[in-house]
Amino acid sequence: MMNFLRTNKYVAGLWVIIRLYLGFRWLTSGWGKIVGGEFDAGGYLQGAIAQTTGENPAVQGWWATFLETVAIPNAGLFSVFVMWGEVLVGFGLILGIFTNLAALMGVVMNFSFLLSGTFSTNPQMAILGIFIAIAGANAGRYGLDRWVMPYLKETWNQRVRKGKQPETNAA
C-alpha cells in the first residue's frame, strides 16, 4: 500500500487535489492575517493559557509552560511566524515546491494549534498533511518539485563528489 501511495502516477493526481485544497486553506488564512494588519498571537496565546484549568483542561500543563515561558514573551515574533508560515506552507503546497517540507511544517502548525486548544479544521488538515508527507516525492510529482528536486539533488551530488576527489601527488 505504501509503495502504491508513494509511486503511482494516478494517485499523484489525487495528491494534487489534496495539496491544492490544503494550500488554499493555508494561504488564505495567512494572507488574511497579513493584510488584516490586526493579527496578534499574544491574545490567542493568552486564551490558550486560560484553557489549562478545570476538570478536563483543553491545554496541558507542559504546553502551557512552553507558552508562558517562550511563546508569550515573544508573541510578536510568533505572530510573524504564524502569518508568514501559513502563507509559505500554502504557496509550497499549491505550487508543489518543497512539498514534503511544506506539508510537515503545516502539520507542526496544526499540532501547535491543537495543543493550544483550537480544534476547528486542524485535525482534518493535520491528517491530510501527514498523508502528503507519507506520499513523499509522489505528492510533488505534478508540481515544481518535479524539476526542482532533481536539480537540487544533482547539484548537491556534484558538490559532494568535488569535495571527495582524491588528491594527486605530483612529485
Side-chain angles (χ1 to χ4, degrees):
M1 182 66 167
M2 289 296 287
N3 191 41
F4 178 71
L5 294 176
R6 296 177 65 101
T7 60
N8 186 283
K9 65 182 178 181
Y10 300 109
V11 173
L14 175 64
W15 296 133
V16 171
I17 294 167
I18 294 171
R19 271 190 13 236
L20 291 174
Y21 167 74
L22 280 179
F24 179 77
R25 295 295 308 260
W26 281 116
L27 181 63
T28 57
S29 178
W31 189 249
K33 289 176 177 77
I34 291 170
V35 298
E38 297 178 16
F39 177 70
D40 176 21
Y44 173 79
L45 297 169
Q46 291 292 346
I49 297 299
Q51 296 183 59
T52 61
T53 60
E55 189 174 318
N56 296 309
V59 177
Q60 298 299 306
W62 66 271
W63 184 252
T65 301
F66 166 77
L67 295 178
E68 289 175 327
T69 59
V70 177
I72 291 175
N74 299 296
L77 184 60
F78 274 78
S79 295
V80 171
F81 285 165
V82 169
M83 291 185 297
W84 286 102
E86 288 178 353
V87 166
L88 291 172
V89 166
F91 275 133
L93 292 172
I94 289 169
L95 298 174
I97 187 164
F98 304 118
T99 305
N100 290 331
L101 178 63
L104 179 62
M105 292 300 103
V107 169
V108 168
M109 283 193 289
N110 283 131
F111 276 106
S112 296
F113 301 150
L114 286 167
L115 288 168
S116 298
T118 302
F119 292 93
S120 182
T121 59
N122 288 306
Q124 157 199 321
M125 290 176 70
I127 290 168
L128 293 174
I130 289 168
F131 277 121
I132 288 174
I134 289 171
N138 204 31
R141 178 188 295 237
Y142 301 125
L144 294 179
D145 278 347
R146 182 179 196 146
W147 297 282
V148 171
M149 297 312 282
Y151 171 78
L152 291 176
K153 184 177 180 180
E154 181 56 33
T155 301
W156 176 262
N157 287 338
Q158 285 176 0
R159 289 182 185 218
V160 168
R161 283 191 297 265
K162 266 187 175 177
K164 291 188 177 180
Q165 290 178 351
E167 293 182 25
T168 57
N169 292 335

